[in-house]
Protein backbone atom coordinates (compact mmCIF):
# COMPACT_ATOMS: atom_id res chain seq x y z
CA UNK A 1 0.00 0.00 0.00
CA UNK A 2 2.55 2.57 1.07
CA UNK A 3 5.02 0.83 -1.15
CA UNK A 4 5.96 3.12 -3.97
CA UNK A 5 8.07 2.08 -6.92
CA UNK A 6 10.63 4.07 -8.90
CA UNK A 7 9.72 4.45 -12.55
CA UNK A 8 11.36 6.19 -15.46
CA UNK A 9 9.38 8.82 -17.37
CA UNK A 10 9.39 7.92 -21.02
CA UNK A 11 6.70 10.06 -22.63
CA UNK A 12 4.27 12.83 -21.84
CA UNK A 13 0.71 13.13 -23.07
CA UNK A 14 -0.88 16.42 -23.98
CA UNK A 15 -4.43 15.32 -23.61
CA UNK A 16 -5.00 15.44 -20.69
CA UNK A 17 -1.70 17.10 -19.86
CA UNK A 18 -1.21 15.54 -16.44
CA UNK A 19 -0.73 12.02 -17.81
CA UNK A 20 2.67 10.54 -18.58
CA UNK A 21 4.01 7.10 -19.44
CA UNK A 22 6.47 5.48 -17.03
CA UNK A 23 8.58 2.41 -17.42
CA UNK A 24 8.92 0.21 -14.36
CA UNK A 25 11.37 -2.61 -15.10
CA UNK A 26 10.11 -2.98 -18.63
CA UNK A 27 6.40 -2.56 -17.86
CA UNK A 28 4.89 0.63 -19.19
CA UNK A 29 1.89 2.29 -17.71
CA UNK A 30 0.21 5.67 -17.85
CA UNK A 31 0.32 7.56 -14.59
CA UNK A 32 -0.83 10.93 -13.35
CA UNK A 33 1.88 13.53 -12.75
CA UNK A 34 -0.44 16.29 -11.51
CA UNK A 35 1.06 16.19 -8.00
CA UNK A 36 4.45 17.25 -9.35
CA UNK A 37 3.27 20.67 -10.41
CA UNK A 38 6.16 23.08 -10.83
CA UNK A 39 8.77 20.34 -11.21
CA UNK A 40 10.80 20.43 -14.37
CA UNK A 41 10.09 16.93 -15.68
CA UNK A 42 11.74 15.44 -18.74
CA UNK A 43 11.88 12.00 -20.32
CA UNK A 44 14.59 10.04 -18.54
CA UNK A 45 13.71 11.51 -15.13
CA UNK A 46 12.73 9.09 -12.40
CA UNK A 47 9.68 9.46 -10.23
CA UNK A 48 8.24 7.55 -7.30
CA UNK A 49 4.98 5.94 -8.41
CA UNK A 50 2.22 5.24 -5.88
CA UNK A 51 -1.32 4.08 -6.75
CA UNK A 52 -1.16 5.55 -10.24
CA UNK A 53 0.31 8.92 -9.28
CA UNK A 54 3.85 10.27 -9.34
CA UNK A 55 4.41 11.36 -5.76
CA UNK A 56 7.93 12.68 -5.93
CA UNK A 57 10.68 13.30 -8.42
CA UNK A 58 13.69 11.18 -7.51
CA UNK A 59 16.92 13.09 -7.22
CA UNK A 60 19.73 11.31 -9.00
CA UNK A 61 22.39 13.48 -7.37
CA UNK A 62 21.11 12.68 -3.86
CA UNK A 63 21.07 8.98 -4.74
CA UNK A 64 24.63 9.18 -6.11
CA UNK A 65 25.85 11.03 -3.03
CA UNK A 66 24.41 8.36 -0.74
CA UNK A 67 25.90 5.52 -2.77
CA UNK A 68 29.26 7.24 -2.85
CA UNK A 69 29.12 7.70 0.91
CA UNK A 70 28.34 4.02 1.37
CA UNK A 71 31.05 3.12 -1.10
CA UNK A 72 33.62 5.12 0.87
CA UNK A 73 32.39 3.58 4.08
CA UNK A 74 32.78 0.13 2.55
CA UNK A 75 36.27 1.04 1.37
CA UNK A 76 37.25 2.29 4.80
CA UNK A 77 35.87 -0.90 6.26
CA UNK A 78 37.84 -3.06 3.83
CA UNK A 79 41.00 -1.08 4.62
CA UNK A 80 40.42 -1.57 8.31
CA UNK A 81 39.89 -5.28 7.85
CA UNK A 82 43.05 -5.50 5.74
CA UNK A 83 45.02 -3.57 8.35
CA UNK A 84 43.57 -5.78 11.05
CA UNK A 85 44.59 -8.90 9.16
CA UNK A 86 48.10 -7.66 8.61
CA UNK A 87 48.50 -6.63 12.22
CA UNK A 88 47.48 -10.01 13.59
CA UNK A 89 50.40 -12.36 14.03
CA UNK B 1 20.69 3.96 -12.10
CA UNK B 2 17.45 2.11 -11.42
CA UNK B 3 17.15 3.24 -7.81
CA UNK B 4 16.54 -0.30 -6.56
CA UNK B 5 19.38 -2.77 -7.03
CA UNK B 6 22.02 -0.20 -6.12
CA UNK B 7 20.52 -0.09 -2.66
CA UNK B 8 20.67 -3.83 -2.10
CA UNK B 9 24.43 -4.37 -2.31
CA UNK B 10 25.53 -7.02 0.18
CA UNK B 11 29.07 -5.69 0.57
CA UNK B 12 27.84 -2.25 1.54
CA UNK B 13 25.31 -3.82 3.87
CA UNK B 14 28.09 -5.68 5.68
CA UNK B 15 30.13 -2.50 6.00
CA UNK B 16 27.13 -0.73 7.48
CA UNK B 17 26.49 -3.66 9.82
CA UNK B 18 30.06 -3.37 11.12
CA UNK B 19 29.60 0.35 11.75
CA UNK B 20 26.32 -0.27 13.50
CA UNK B 21 27.87 -2.87 15.78
CA UNK B 22 30.76 -0.52 16.56
CA UNK B 23 28.36 2.25 17.63
CA UNK B 24 26.50 0.11 20.18
CA UNK B 25 27.59 0.82 23.72
CA UNK B 26 28.44 -2.40 25.52
CA UNK B 27 25.67 -3.47 27.87
CA UNK B 28 23.10 -1.13 26.31
CA UNK B 29 20.16 -2.22 24.21
CA UNK B 30 18.34 -0.13 21.64
CA UNK B 31 14.75 -0.25 20.50
CA UNK B 32 13.83 1.60 17.32
CA UNK B 33 10.31 1.71 15.97
CA UNK B 34 9.80 1.54 12.24
CA UNK B 35 6.56 3.43 11.96
CA UNK B 36 5.73 2.34 8.44
CA UNK B 37 4.48 -1.05 7.28
CA UNK B 38 6.55 -0.69 4.13
CA UNK B 39 9.63 -0.85 6.33
CA UNK B 40 8.33 -3.88 8.18
CA UNK B 41 7.94 -5.55 4.80
CA UNK B 42 11.54 -4.77 3.72
CA UNK B 43 12.95 -5.79 7.09
CA UNK B 44 11.47 -9.28 6.86
CA UNK B 45 11.79 -9.74 3.15
CA UNK B 46 15.50 -9.01 3.21
CA UNK B 47 16.26 -10.40 6.65
CA UNK B 48 17.61 -7.04 7.85
CA UNK B 49 17.64 -8.21 11.45
CA UNK B 50 20.38 -10.67 10.56
CA UNK B 51 22.63 -7.68 9.90
CA UNK B 52 21.89 -6.10 13.25
CA UNK B 53 23.54 -6.93 16.55
CA UNK B 54 21.39 -8.49 19.28
CA UNK B 55 21.43 -5.16 21.10
CA UNK B 56 19.41 -3.48 18.36
CA UNK B 57 15.76 -4.44 18.19
CA UNK B 58 13.37 -3.12 15.56
CA UNK B 59 9.86 -2.64 16.87
CA UNK B 60 6.97 -2.54 14.39
CA UNK B 61 4.71 0.45 14.47
CA UNK B 62 1.14 1.31 13.50
CA UNK B 63 1.91 2.40 9.93
CA UNK B 64 0.11 -0.28 7.96
CA UNK B 65 -3.03 1.43 6.67
CA UNK B 66 -4.92 -1.81 6.17
CA UNK B 67 -4.10 -2.98 9.68
CA UNK B 68 -5.56 0.00 11.48
CA UNK B 69 -9.00 -0.03 9.84
CA UNK B 70 -11.49 -0.91 12.57
CA UNK B 71 -14.02 -3.69 12.00
CA UNK B 72 -16.96 -1.30 12.08
CA UNK B 73 -15.65 0.60 9.06
CA UNK B 74 -15.30 -2.62 7.09
CA UNK B 75 -18.91 -3.42 7.94
CA UNK B 76 -19.97 0.06 6.82
CA UNK B 77 -18.15 -0.40 3.52
CA UNK B 78 -19.84 -3.75 2.98
CA UNK B 79 -23.22 -2.19 3.77
CA UNK B 80 -22.56 0.32 0.98
CA UNK B 81 -21.43 -2.42 -1.40
CA UNK B 82 -24.68 -4.33 -0.78
CA UNK B 83 -26.89 -1.43 -1.93
CA UNK B 84 -28.53 -1.93 -5.30
CA UNK B 85 -26.65 -0.51 -8.30
CA UNK B 86 -23.47 0.07 -6.37
CA UNK B 87 -20.00 -0.96 -7.51
CA UNK B 88 -17.51 -0.93 -4.65
CA UNK B 89 -13.87 -0.55 -5.65
CA UNK B 90 -10.90 -1.25 -3.42
CA UNK B 91 -7.17 -1.85 -3.34
CA UNK B 92 -6.43 -5.57 -3.33
CA UNK B 93 -4.93 -5.29 0.17
CA UNK B 94 -8.30 -4.51 1.61
CA UNK B 95 -10.22 -7.47 0.17
CA UNK B 96 -9.47 -9.96 2.90
CA UNK B 97 -9.67 -7.61 5.89
CA UNK B 98 -12.22 -9.08 8.26
CA UNK B 99 -15.07 -6.95 9.52
CA UNK B 100 -17.64 -8.02 12.08
CA UNK B 101 -19.55 -9.80 9.32
CA UNK B 102 -16.88 -11.03 6.97
CA UNK B 103 -14.66 -9.36 4.41
CA UNK B 104 -15.07 -7.81 0.97
CA UNK B 105 -14.27 -11.22 -0.46
CA UNK B 106 -17.13 -12.77 1.49
CA UNK B 107 -19.50 -10.01 0.41
CA UNK B 108 -18.40 -10.45 -3.21
CA UNK B 109 -19.02 -14.18 -3.01
CA UNK B 110 -22.49 -13.36 -1.70
CA UNK B 111 -23.21 -11.28 -4.79
CA UNK B 112 -22.02 -7.74 -4.09
CA UNK B 113 -20.21 -6.06 -6.99
CA UNK B 114 -16.77 -5.40 -5.51
CA UNK B 115 -13.82 -4.83 -7.79
CA UNK B 116 -10.12 -4.54 -7.14
CA UNK B 117 -8.39 -1.48 -8.52
CA UNK B 118 -4.78 -0.37 -8.56
CA UNK B 119 -5.54 3.34 -8.42
CA UNK B 120 -8.49 5.56 -7.48
CA UNK B 121 -8.31 6.74 -11.09
CA UNK B 122 -9.31 3.23 -12.16
CA UNK B 123 -12.39 3.56 -9.98
CA UNK B 124 -13.20 6.84 -11.69
CA UNK B 125 -12.80 5.14 -15.06
CA UNK B 126 -15.35 2.50 -14.04
CA UNK B 127 -17.71 5.30 -13.00
CA UNK B 128 -17.43 6.88 -16.44
CA UNK B 129 -18.05 3.55 -18.13
CA UNK B 130 -21.07 2.69 -15.96
CA UNK B 131 -23.15 5.85 -15.66
CA UNK B 132 -26.15 3.85 -14.42
CA UNK B 133 -24.27 2.68 -11.32
CA UNK B 134 -22.83 4.43 -8.34
CA UNK B 135 -19.14 3.66 -8.07
CA UNK B 136 -17.64 3.98 -4.59
CA UNK B 137 -13.92 3.95 -3.90
CA UNK B 138 -12.86 2.53 -0.54
CA UNK B 139 -10.16 5.07 0.28
CA UNK B 140 -7.58 3.94 2.81
CA UNK B 141 -4.03 4.95 3.54
CA UNK B 142 -1.89 7.57 5.20
CA UNK B 143 -0.83 10.91 3.75
CA UNK B 144 0.96 8.96 1.02
CA UNK B 145 -2.32 7.92 -0.53
CA UNK B 146 -4.66 10.76 0.47
CA UNK B 147 -3.45 13.15 -2.28
CA UNK B 148 -4.29 10.56 -4.94
CA UNK B 149 -7.83 10.26 -3.60
CA UNK B 150 -8.13 14.03 -3.42
CA UNK B 151 -6.88 14.46 -6.99
CA UNK B 152 -9.40 11.89 -8.16
CA UNK B 153 -12.26 13.72 -6.44
CA UNK B 154 -11.12 16.97 -8.05
CA UNK B 155 -11.07 15.28 -11.44
CA UNK B 156 -14.54 13.82 -10.89
CA UNK B 157 -15.78 17.30 -9.94
CA UNK B 158 -14.13 18.94 -12.94
CA UNK B 159 -15.55 16.37 -15.35
CA UNK B 160 -18.95 16.12 -13.65
CA UNK B 161 -18.68 12.38 -12.93
CA UNK B 162 -21.43 12.56 -10.33
CA UNK B 163 -21.90 8.82 -9.93
CA UNK B 164 -18.45 8.57 -8.31
CA UNK B 165 -18.01 8.67 -4.54
CA UNK B 166 -15.33 8.06 -1.95
CA UNK B 167 -15.68 6.23 1.36
CA UNK B 168 -12.93 8.13 3.10
CA UNK B 169 -10.82 6.29 5.67
CA UNK B 170 -7.58 8.20 5.30
CA UNK B 171 -5.53 8.45 8.47
CA UNK B 172 -2.67 10.66 9.58
CA UNK B 173 0.65 9.51 10.90
CA UNK B 174 1.52 12.23 13.42
CA UNK B 175 -1.42 11.59 15.78
CA UNK B 176 -0.58 7.88 15.67
CA UNK B 177 3.03 8.56 16.65
CA UNK B 178 1.78 10.81 19.44
CA UNK B 179 -0.42 7.99 20.71
CA UNK B 180 2.57 5.66 20.67
CA UNK B 181 4.75 8.17 22.52
CA UNK B 182 2.03 8.57 25.15
CA UNK B 183 1.69 4.85 25.66
CA UNK B 184 3.26 4.02 29.00
CA UNK B 185 4.27 0.42 28.30
CA UNK B 186 6.71 1.14 25.51
CA UNK B 187 10.34 2.14 25.74
CA UNK B 188 11.75 3.41 22.45
CA UNK B 189 15.11 4.97 21.68
CA UNK B 190 14.24 6.39 18.29
CA UNK B 191 12.17 6.15 15.15
CA UNK B 192 12.64 5.20 11.53
CA UNK B 193 10.38 7.78 9.88
CA UNK B 194 7.96 6.70 7.13
CA UNK B 195 9.65 7.62 3.86
CA UNK B 196 6.70 7.85 1.55
CA UNK B 197 4.43 9.65 4.00
CA UNK B 198 7.29 12.11 4.38
CA UNK B 199 7.47 12.63 0.62
CA UNK B 200 4.11 14.35 1.16
CA UNK B 201 4.31 15.93 4.63
CA UNK B 202 8.08 16.56 4.69
CA UNK B 203 10.32 16.26 7.74
CA UNK B 204 9.21 19.20 9.84
CA UNK B 205 6.09 17.63 11.39
CA UNK B 206 8.37 15.19 13.26
CA UNK B 207 10.37 17.89 14.99
CA UNK B 208 8.29 17.67 18.19
CA UNK B 209 9.51 14.09 18.64
CA UNK B 210 13.09 15.29 18.94
CA UNK B 211 12.28 18.52 20.74
CA UNK B 212 9.61 17.44 23.24
CA UNK B 213 10.39 13.76 23.61
CA UNK B 214 14.15 13.76 23.14
CA UNK B 215 13.99 10.95 20.58
CA UNK B 216 15.80 11.00 17.24
CA UNK B 217 13.92 10.26 14.03
CA UNK B 218 15.45 9.43 10.68
CA UNK B 219 13.25 9.52 7.56
CA UNK B 220 14.17 6.26 5.94
CA UNK B 221 13.95 4.82 2.46
CA UNK B 222 12.72 1.31 1.71
CA UNK B 223 15.69 -0.57 0.36
CA UNK B 224 17.88 -2.66 2.68
CA UNK B 225 20.78 -0.18 2.61
CA UNK B 226 18.37 2.65 3.41
CA UNK B 227 17.19 0.91 6.54
CA UNK B 228 20.66 -0.07 7.69
CA UNK B 229 21.99 3.41 7.11
CA UNK B 230 19.05 4.91 8.99
CA UNK B 231 19.75 2.65 11.97
CA UNK B 232 23.36 3.79 11.75
CA UNK B 233 22.28 7.45 11.77
CA UNK B 234 20.03 6.86 14.79
CA UNK B 235 22.83 5.18 16.71
CA UNK B 236 25.23 7.95 15.81
CA UNK B 237 22.83 10.56 17.17
CA UNK B 238 22.47 8.62 20.40
CA UNK B 239 26.23 8.15 20.69
CA UNK B 240 26.72 11.88 20.25
CA UNK B 241 23.90 12.71 22.65
CA UNK B 242 21.76 14.31 19.96
CA UNK B 243 18.05 13.98 19.19
CA UNK B 244 17.19 15.40 15.80
CA UNK B 245 15.17 14.78 12.69
CA UNK B 246 17.42 13.60 9.87
CA UNK B 247 16.56 12.73 6.30
CA UNK B 248 18.24 9.59 4.99
CA UNK B 249 15.79 9.38 2.07
CA UNK B 250 16.70 12.71 0.54
CA UNK B 251 16.56 11.31 -2.98
CA UNK B 252 12.77 11.08 -2.61
CA UNK B 253 11.82 13.22 0.41
CA UNK B 254 12.17 17.01 0.16
CA UNK B 255 12.54 18.58 3.60
CA UNK B 256 9.27 20.47 3.10
CA UNK B 257 7.37 17.64 1.46
CA UNK B 258 5.17 18.04 -1.60
CA UNK B 259 3.29 21.36 -1.39
CA UNK B 260 0.88 20.52 -4.20
CA UNK B 261 -0.07 17.23 -2.54
CA UNK B 262 -0.71 19.00 0.77
CA UNK B 263 -2.77 21.61 -1.02
CA UNK B 264 -5.07 19.11 -2.74
CA UNK B 265 -5.61 17.23 0.53
CA UNK B 266 -6.56 20.54 2.17
CA UNK B 267 -8.85 21.42 -0.70
CA UNK B 268 -10.87 18.21 -0.57
CA UNK B 269 -10.50 16.88 2.99
CA UNK B 270 -10.47 18.05 6.59
CA UNK B 271 -9.55 16.38 9.89
CA UNK B 272 -12.26 14.45 11.70
CA UNK B 273 -12.73 15.27 15.39
CA UNK B 274 -11.77 11.68 16.15
CA UNK B 275 -11.40 8.30 14.48
CA UNK B 276 -11.13 4.77 15.77
CA UNK B 277 -7.94 2.86 15.00
CA UNK B 278 -7.90 -0.86 15.31
CA UNK B 279 -5.92 -1.75 18.38
CA UNK B 280 -5.17 1.85 19.33
CA UNK B 281 -8.71 3.00 20.05
CA UNK B 282 -10.05 6.49 19.38
CA UNK B 283 -7.45 9.11 18.50
CA UNK B 284 -8.51 12.71 18.08
CA UNK B 285 -7.84 14.55 14.82
CA UNK B 286 -6.22 11.45 13.40
CA UNK B 287 -8.19 10.94 10.19
CA UNK B 288 -9.60 12.82 7.23
CA UNK B 289 -13.11 13.21 5.87
CA UNK B 290 -14.48 14.82 2.74
CA UNK B 291 -15.26 18.51 3.06
CA UNK B 292 -18.79 19.86 2.74
CA UNK B 293 -17.92 21.45 -0.61
CA UNK B 294 -17.46 17.97 -2.08
CA UNK B 295 -20.38 16.38 -0.24
CA UNK B 296 -21.77 14.90 -3.45
CA UNK B 297 -18.69 12.66 -3.68
CA UNK B 298 -18.82 11.60 -0.04
CA UNK B 299 -20.21 8.09 0.46
CA UNK B 300 -20.75 8.80 4.15
CA UNK B 301 -23.24 11.51 3.26
CA UNK B 302 -24.83 9.65 0.35
CA UNK B 303 -25.53 6.36 2.11
CA UNK B 304 -27.03 5.47 5.45
CA UNK B 305 -24.28 3.72 7.33
CA UNK B 306 -24.79 1.33 10.23
CA UNK B 307 -21.80 2.99 11.93
CA UNK B 308 -21.71 0.30 14.57
CA UNK B 309 -18.60 -0.06 16.65
CA UNK B 310 -17.47 -3.69 16.61
CA UNK B 311 -15.05 -4.97 19.22
CA UNK B 312 -12.07 -6.91 17.94
CA UNK B 313 -12.28 -10.68 18.41
CA UNK B 314 -11.07 -11.83 21.83
CA UNK B 315 -8.25 -13.91 20.40
CA UNK B 316 -6.86 -10.99 18.41
CA UNK B 317 -3.82 -9.24 19.78
CA UNK B 318 -3.28 -6.87 16.87
CA UNK B 319 -3.45 -3.87 19.18
CA UNK B 320 -0.38 -5.04 21.05
CA UNK B 321 1.37 -5.86 17.79
CA UNK B 322 0.54 -2.45 16.29
CA UNK B 323 1.90 -0.70 19.34
CA UNK B 324 5.06 -2.78 19.23
CA UNK B 325 4.39 -4.28 22.64
CA UNK B 326 4.02 -7.82 21.35
CA UNK B 327 5.93 -9.51 18.53
CA UNK B 328 3.75 -11.16 15.93
CA UNK B 329 4.54 -14.74 16.82
CA UNK B 330 3.85 -14.04 20.47
CA UNK B 331 0.15 -13.74 19.63
CA UNK B 332 -1.61 -16.91 20.72
CA UNK B 333 -3.34 -17.53 17.41
CA UNK B 334 -0.41 -16.65 15.14
CA UNK B 335 0.08 -19.23 12.41
CA UNK B 336 -2.58 -21.52 13.82
CA UNK B 337 -6.04 -19.97 13.83
CA UNK B 338 -4.73 -16.81 12.19
CA UNK B 339 -3.01 -17.16 8.81
CA UNK B 340 -3.04 -15.03 5.64
CA UNK B 341 -5.74 -17.33 4.19
CA UNK B 342 -7.95 -17.08 7.26
CA UNK B 343 -6.90 -13.92 9.08
CA UNK B 344 -8.42 -13.15 12.45
CA UNK B 345 -6.67 -9.84 12.77
CA UNK B 346 -5.71 -7.25 10.19
CA UNK B 347 -1.95 -7.51 10.69
CA UNK B 348 -2.14 -10.87 8.94
CA UNK B 349 -3.73 -9.47 5.79
CA UNK B 350 -1.54 -6.93 4.05
CA UNK B 351 2.04 -7.74 3.14
CA UNK B 352 2.89 -4.65 5.20
CA UNK B 353 1.27 -6.10 8.29
CA UNK B 354 3.81 -7.34 10.80
CA UNK B 355 2.15 -10.75 11.21
CA UNK B 356 1.83 -11.37 7.47
CA UNK B 357 5.43 -10.28 6.91
CA UNK B 358 6.67 -12.67 9.59
CA UNK B 359 4.52 -15.41 8.23
CA UNK B 360 5.53 -14.95 4.59
CA UNK B 361 9.24 -14.71 5.07
CA UNK B 362 9.84 -17.49 7.53
CA UNK B 363 10.83 -15.22 10.40
CA UNK B 364 8.52 -17.19 12.57
CA UNK B 365 10.60 -20.32 12.50
CA UNK B 366 13.90 -18.49 12.60
CA UNK B 367 12.88 -16.40 15.59
CA UNK B 368 11.67 -19.47 17.36
CA UNK B 369 14.93 -21.27 16.69
CA UNK B 370 16.93 -18.33 17.94
CA UNK B 371 14.76 -18.04 21.02
CA UNK B 372 14.99 -21.76 21.70
CA UNK B 373 18.75 -21.85 21.30
CA UNK B 374 19.05 -19.13 23.91
CA UNK B 375 17.28 -21.10 26.63
S1 LIG C 1 -1.61 -13.34 14.67
FE1 LIG C 1 -3.54 -12.56 13.83
S2 LIG C 1 -4.77 -12.00 15.60
FE2 LIG C 1 -2.68 -12.26 16.32
S3 LIG C 1 -1.83 -10.17 16.26
FE3 LIG C 1 -1.34 -11.16 14.30
S4 LIG C 1 -3.01 -10.60 12.93
FE4 LIG C 1 -3.69 -10.13 15.02
Amino acid sequence: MCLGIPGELVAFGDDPPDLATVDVSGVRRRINIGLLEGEDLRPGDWVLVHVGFALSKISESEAQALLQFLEDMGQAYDDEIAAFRESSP
Amino acid sequence: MRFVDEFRDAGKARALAARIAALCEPGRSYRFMEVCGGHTHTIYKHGIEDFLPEAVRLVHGPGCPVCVIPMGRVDDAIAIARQPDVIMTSFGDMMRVPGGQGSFFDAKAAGADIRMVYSPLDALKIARAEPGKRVVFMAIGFETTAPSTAMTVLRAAADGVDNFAVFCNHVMIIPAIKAILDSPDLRLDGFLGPGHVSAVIGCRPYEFIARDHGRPLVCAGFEPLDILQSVHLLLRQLAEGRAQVENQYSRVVPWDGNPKALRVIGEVMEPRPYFEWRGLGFISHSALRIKEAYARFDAERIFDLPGVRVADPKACQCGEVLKGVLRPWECKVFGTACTPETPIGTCMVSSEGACAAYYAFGRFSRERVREASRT
Side-chain angles (χ1 to χ4, degrees):
Chain A
M1 262 287 319
C2 274
L3 306 175
I5 31 172
E8 185 181 3
L9 285 172
V10 290
F12 296 93
D14 3 72
D15 183 40
D18 53 0
L19 287 188
T21 305
V22 285
D23 184 304
V24 176
S25 4
V27 182
R28 293 191 172 198
R29 200 182 193 287
R30 293 234 285 175
I31 59 154
N32 185 300
I33 52 170
L35 290 172
L36 298 186
E37 197 181 78
E39 292 271 10
D40 174 28
L41 295 175
R42 291 148 197 268
D45 282 344
W46 285 71
V47 292
L48 185 83
V49 184
H50 174 66
V51 301
F53 287 79
L55 200 59
S56 174
K57 180 177 167 181
I58 303 181
S59 159
E60 176 134 22
S61 60
E62 291 287 337
Q64 292 287 10
L66 173 58
L67 289 172
Q68 190 57 49
F69 171 82
L70 296 174
E71 189 77 42
D72 296 346
M73 178 185 273
Q75 190 57 48
Y77 173 68
D78 290 344
D79 292 350
E80 252 170 70
I81 293 281
F84 177 75
R85 259 200 212 107
E86 278 156 28
S87 73
S88 56
Chain B
M1 170 119 47
R2 303 199 69 81
F3 301 99
V4 175
D5 304 338
E6 300 90 343
F7 298 93
R8 295 186 178 175
D9 180 83
K12 291 194 181 83
R14 274 193 296 275
L16 271 168
R19 294 289 154 132
I20 287 170
L23 273 176
C24 292
E25 267 174 55
R28 180 168 174 191
S29 65
Y30 302 86
R31 292 165 59 89
F32 300 133
M33 174 173 277
E34 90 272 6
V35 176
C36 173
H39 286 147
T40 310
H41 181 85
T42 303
I43 287 163
Y44 290 110
K45 181 165 176 203
H46 295 280
I48 301 293
E49 289 195 320
D50 296 343
F51 286 87
L52 297 176
E54 291 265 321
V56 177
R57 159 91 76 94
L58 296 176
V59 179
H60 319 306
C64 159
V66 174
C67 305
V68 300
I69 296 285
M71 303 253 252
R73 292 297 279 187
V74 178
D75 290 348
D76 287 350
I78 290 174
I80 295 172
R82 284 216 187 101
Q83 302 292 316
D85 296 323
V86 164
I87 301 174
M88 176 60 81
T89 57
S90 160
F91 294 135
D93 279 28
M94 197 57 224
M95 296 295 290
R96 242 187 276 270
V97 173
Q101 283 142 45
S103 65
F104 272 167
F105 263 134
D106 300 326
K108 191 175 160 77
D113 191 347
I114 304 178
R115 305 185 192 176
M116 269 190 260
V117 290
Y118 162 70
S119 164
L121 289 171
D122 298 340
L124 187 61
K125 210 180 284 172
I126 296 174
R128 285 184 215 270
E130 308 243 15
K133 303 264 181 164
R134 183 167 289 280
V135 177
V136 181
F137 174 63
M138 173 76 178
I140 59 163
F142 284 87
E143 288 94 334
T144 330
T145 321
S148 308
T149 304
M151 287 284 276
T152 307
V153 169
L154 290 175
R155 169 115 335 260
D159 296 354
V161 190
D162 284 332
N163 64 326
F164 175 75
V166 164
F167 183 42
C168 188
N169 294 285
H170 286 298
V171 284
M172 295 185 280
I173 200 72
I174 298 291
I177 296 181
K178 284 203 173 119
I180 296 282
L181 282 165
D182 291 342
S183 136
D185 40 359
L186 194 61
R187 183 183 74 71
L188 291 172
D189 299 284
F191 291 89
L192 295 174
H196 292 152
V197 168
S198 310
V200 173
I201 68 172
C203 299
R204 283 185 208 286
Y206 306 115
E207 278 166 354
F208 78 97
I209 299 171
R211 194 184 53 232
D212 304 342
H213 297 270
R215 302 277 189 283
L217 178 143
V218 174
C219 278
F222 292 87
E223 294 302 331
L225 292 182
D226 291 322
I227 294 189
L228 288 171
Q229 199 209 0
S230 301
V231 169
H232 179 250
L233 289 171
L234 283 172
L235 285 166
R236 207 175 60 186
Q237 287 201 38
L238 292 174
E240 294 170 1
R242 289 182 292 128
Q244 290 167 335
V245 177
E246 289 182 312
N247 186 10
Q248 184 274 337
Y249 201 29
S250 56
R251 65 184 185 278
V252 167
V253 174
W255 190 261
D256 289 314
N258 181 332
K260 170 78 189 281
L262 291 170
R263 216 163 53 234
V264 296
I265 296 178
E267 164 70 25
V268 176
M269 301 169 192
E270 63 190 3
R272 294 172 191 270
Y274 55 85
F275 192 73
E276 187 190 3
W277 293 54
R278 192 179 293 225
L280 300 177
F282 287 92
I283 307 179
S284 59
H285 298 103
S286 63
L288 296 163
R289 67 180 176 204
I290 305 288
K291 276 185 175 171
E292 181 79 52
Y294 295 92
R296 66 186 194 282
F297 301 105
D298 183 1
E300 269 171 86
R301 289 178 164 100
I302 296 169
F303 298 96
D304 258 344
L305 298 182
V308 178
R309 196 176 169 264
V310 184
D312 288 336
K314 273 218 173 57
C316 169
Q317 292 185 286
C318 295
E320 276 65 36
V321 169
L322 285 167
K323 280 186 284 196
V325 175
L326 211 65
R327 313 231 271 160
W329 55 267
E330 290 167 348
C331 172
K332 283 188 286 298
V333 291
F334 177 91
T336 49
C338 186
T339 65
E341 282 69 43
T342 54
I344 292 179
T346 41
C347 307
M348 194 54 104
V349 180
S350 160
S351 63
E352 290 160 48
C355 294
Y358 259 82
Y359 192 92
F361 298 116
R363 281 281 108 180
F364 172 46
S365 49
R366 270 200 261 172
E367 279 288 346
R368 277 279 165 91
V369 169
R370 211 196 273 178
E371 204 77 1
S373 64
R374 240 181 249 153
T375 47

